[in-house]
Amino acid sequence: VGTYTATLTLGKGEGALSVSKDFSILPRMYVDATGTTCTYDGKAHGISVNVSVDGATVTYSESRDGKYSTKAPTFTDAGTHTVWYRVSKDGHPTKSGSADVVIKPKAVGISWSGTKLTYNAKNQGPTAKATGLVSGDKCTVTVSGAAKDAGTHTATATALSNANYKLPGKSTTKFAIAKAKLTVTAKDKTIKFGAKPANAGVTYSGLKGKDTAKSLGGKLTYKYTYKKGSKAGTYKIAPSGLKSKNYAITYNKGTLTVEAPSTVATRGAVRADGKDWVETGKNGVFGTTGESRRTTGIKIGLEQLPYSGGILYKGHFQDKGWQSSWTLGDSKCAVKNKRLEAVQIKLKGEMADHYNVYYRVHTQKLGWMAWAKDGERAGTTSASDRLEAVQVVVQKKGTKAPGKNYNKVKQTYPKAYTEKV
């Protein structure tokens, strides 16, 4: 390597001709192009071209036959990028080639949220957020595995919106859909005293989406604190029996109101001359009229008791006067061979709280007398007037009292009780 002079001589001696020419031997030009392999970091990356001689010109292009420029291209996004180069210098042959810039996608972290859900009758699942991104980058995560029914399910991150990133090795998570709360409430119901237990159905609070009662399993059943024949009042209706994989069911009890009747039927019997105890009771009348028979005993009862308690009565008998104690319902109130002349009747216990008892008597001389009420005296005393029949009516308090001609029995005397006729 160096600069030299070459001389060409023709002939010999003084007549010889010489021609000289300088020439150089240049060093050989070597080119070393190096590519780049890295993981995406948001920075620019390119190739490096090293030339063994000074003063060489390096130009670059992103395609073999493209336009070349002295500005070396750089790349930020993930992928394999090929850079073509040419190296030229006077006295040297031009050299060309290529090198690759390989930028690998960066693995992101996955942060899951919404892994504890509640049933809503729709497909639902957790959401995922990509973590570890280069500052300023955005990347959304596509998730599959949404589920509708309550239970434990698996969600999977399946794709990223930014090609500079890739999913990590583990991209799944478990998520739970809890049962929704459902309240089933028995509707209130009113029935008449003596009726069988009954209900008016239920209401549902908490059904989701287009779910209806038909979406539930099991069989709706009812239990009652009331039994047929129980007294009037309020009782509980307790629904149960439904099942569901998507609802946690709770039950609210309803109220069953047993409505007391406006009247309570009576039963009774009398002991009259020429007859033993004879049960009568048409129109609430016990005894005989128009047969000139004296009554020597009576008993009165109630057909059904809507409340606790009962009926009490006592009589005024010939030569004996008023009995000192009350007779309990369905028991005999009698004095042998002594005519019954007047009575007192009343209710006891809860029956007395809710009902009035009205009664009137038919006597030998006065016929049907006016109504007495709740323990008042009815009939005659000191008049030697025999009592022949009694009419008894039990009515709910607050209702209209029976009239003079109640149930076609006509009143003929204006008073309920008198001592003398």
Side-chain angles (χ1 to χ4, degrees):
V1 176
T3 301
Y4 302 92
T5 301
T7 303
L8 175 62
T9 302
L10 297 175
K12 295 181 179 181
E14 293 180 0
L17 295 175
S18 298
V19 178
S20 298
K21 181 69 176 178
D22 293 335
F23 66 94
S24 298
I25 298 176
L26 300 176
R28 187 173 181 179
M29 185 173 66
Y30 294 94
V31 177
D32 180 20
T34 304
T36 301
T37 299
C38 62
T39 298
Y40 171 77
D41 57 6
K43 299 177 180 180
H45 299 275
I47 68 170
S48 62
V49 178
N50 296 312
V51 184
S52 62
V53 296
D54 295 333
T57 300
V58 182
T59 57
Y60 305 88
S61 176
E62 293 183 32
S63 63
R64 180 194 294 268
D65 300 320
K67 183 178 180 180
Y68 284 76
S69 168
T70 57
K71 183 178 180 181
T74 58
F75 305 91
T76 301
D77 292 336
T80 298
H81 311 278
T82 300
V83 179
W84 295 87
Y85 63 87
R86 290 177 180 172
V87 180
S88 60
K89 183 176 175 58
D90 290 342
H92 295 273
T94 299
K95 293 193 174 184
S96 63
S98 66
D100 292 334
V101 178
V102 179
I103 303 176
K104 298 178 181 179
K106 181 182 179 181
V108 297
I110 299 293
S111 175
W112 295 95
S113 61
T115 56
K116 293 182 179 181
L117 305 169
T118 300
Y119 174 77
N120 63 2
K122 299 177 182 178
N123 281 327
Q124 57 181 329
T127 57
K129 179 181 179 181
T131 62
L133 301 180
V134 172
S135 178
D137 278 1
K138 294 181 180 180
C139 181
T140 58
V141 183
T142 300
V143 177
S144 66
K148 178 179 177 182
D149 292 334
T152 301
H153 309 276
T154 300
T156 303
T158 58
L160 300 174
S161 65
N162 191 327
N164 291 320
Y165 298 95
K166 67 178 181 178
L167 292 167
K170 184 180 183 304
S171 55
T172 62
T173 192
K174 297 289 185 181
F175 69 98
I177 299 177
K179 291 184 177 183
K181 293 181 179 180
L182 175 65
T183 302
V184 179
T185 302
K187 296 179 181 179
D188 295 340
K189 175 72 174 178
T190 298
I191 61 173
K192 294 186 179 298
F193 172 73
K196 294 180 180 180
N199 64 80
V202 296
T203 60
Y204 299 89
S205 177
L207 287 171
K208 303 298 181 181
K210 295 183 179 181
D211 284 355
T212 66
K214 293 181 179 180
S215 305
L216 306 175
K219 182 179 181 182
L220 184 61
T221 59
Y222 300 88
K223 290 184 178 179
Y224 308 87
T225 55
Y226 164 82
K227 293 181 180 180
K228 183 179 180 180
S230 298
K231 67 180 183 179
T234 56
Y235 298 84
K236 294 299 181 183
I237 306 171
S240 63
L242 295 174
K243 297 179 181 179
S244 175
K245 62 183 177 181
N246 292 320
Y247 292 97
I249 304 173
T250 58
Y251 298 92
N252 288 336
K253 296 177 181 178
T255 299
L256 177 64
T257 301
V258 180
E259 193 174 62
S262 58
T263 61
V264 177
T266 58
R267 58 176 178 264
V270 298
R271 185 172 68 185
D273 283 344
K275 295 184 177 182
D276 199 356
W277 289 95
V278 178
E279 293 188 3
T280 57
K282 184 178 181 181
N283 295 331
V285 175
F286 314 121
T288 63
T289 59
E291 297 182 15
S292 299
R293 296 179 185 274
R294 69 174 179 171
T295 297
T296 58
I298 191 169
K299 60 181 179 180
I300 304 169
L302 301 176
E303 288 294 345
Q304 288 182 306
L305 291 177
Y307 298 102
S308 62
I311 192 165
L312 302 171
Y313 43 93
K314 63 181 179 179
H316 184 283
F317 288 89
Q318 171 190 3
D319 300 331
K320 298 293 183 178
W322 286 104
Q323 292 176 308
S324 60
S325 59
W326 293 88
T327 299
L328 183 62
D330 290 318
S331 300
K332 296 177 181 179
C333 173
V335 176
K336 188 175 181 180
N337 295 323
K338 298 296 181 180
R339 68 176 175 266
L340 179 62
E341 297 176 334
V343 294
Q344 289 175 278
I345 306 173
K346 67 178 182 178
L347 300 172
K348 63 175 287 189
E350 290 183 345
M351 283 296 295
D353 296 333
H354 296 277
Y355 287 90
N356 299 119
V357 57
Y358 297 89
Y359 47 96
R360 59 182 175 178
V361 302
H362 183 281
T363 71
Q364 171 192 3
K365 299 175 182 179
L366 300 178
W368 283 106
M369 301 178 72
W371 291 100
K373 172 186 174 184
D374 296 335
E376 297 172 349
R377 294 179 175 183
T380 65
T381 57
S382 305
S384 299
D385 190 9
R386 66 174 177 261
L387 186 153
E388 296 179 334
V390 180
Q391 186 178 27
V392 182
V393 177
V394 178
Q395 286 189 181
K396 188 181 289 187
K397 285 187 174 182
T399 59
K400 186 178 180 180
K404 293 181 179 181
N405 301 322
Y406 181 80
N407 271 358
K408 299 181 180 180
V409 176
K410 294 183 179 181
Q411 177 182 316
T412 57
Y413 188 77
K415 294 182 179 180
Y417 167 77
T418 183
E419 291 188 0
K420 297 181 178 180
V421 178

